Amino acid sequence: SEGLPASVFRTDDWADVVDESGMKLQDISDKRRELAVEIKALREKRDTADRKSEEYRETVERMQKKFEEFRELTAELEALRK
């Protein structure tokens, strides 16, 4: 990419076109979307399980872990936006 002008049509080095922070923001946003889909599926599974069952307890624990990951990504995203 050295000596050539930056262009959106060149894909060999996106860093010439899109800055690193923009790419990182997109990556974090994509991970948050994936987590949101996983959390939604876990919520549906939790809502159909018997509240006294082992499956319910395990699903709630997995949801809590996913929520924590989501919160961490959200904090990281907000820090990058500043």
Side-chain angles (χ1 to χ4, degrees):
S1 66
E2 291 180 28
L4 297 173
S7 169
V8 293
F9 302 107
R10 289 186 45 234
T11 58
D12 59 329
D13 193 355
W14 281 103
D16 289 348
V17 181
V18 180
D19 66 342
E20 180 104 8
S21 63
M23 292 170 62
K24 190 163 185 167
L25 283 171
Q26 184 64 44
D27 185 45
I28 293 171
S29 294
D30 291 345
K31 288 179 184 176
R32 284 182 68 228
R33 278 189 214 100
E34 290 173 16
L35 275 173
V37 169
E38 291 177 30
I39 291 168
K40 183 177 180 182
L42 287 170
R43 182 181 298 133
E44 290 172 2
K45 184 177 178 180
R46 179 202 63 189
D47 291 346
T48 59
D50 178 21
R51 288 183 166 245
K52 296 179 182 178
S53 70
E54 183 68 22
E55 177 187 19
Y56 181 87
R57 188 181 62 74
E58 289 173 358
T59 303
V60 169
E61 286 176 10
R62 288 178 54 207
M63 276 181 64
Q64 289 172 343
K65 289 178 185 176
K66 297 290 182 184
F67 273 127
E68 185 58 36
E69 287 179 53
F70 189 86
R71 283 186 210 106
E72 289 171 4
L73 288 173
T74 300
E76 189 175 344
L77 192 62
E78 290 174 0
L80 284 172
R81 288 183 176 160
K82 290 183 181 181

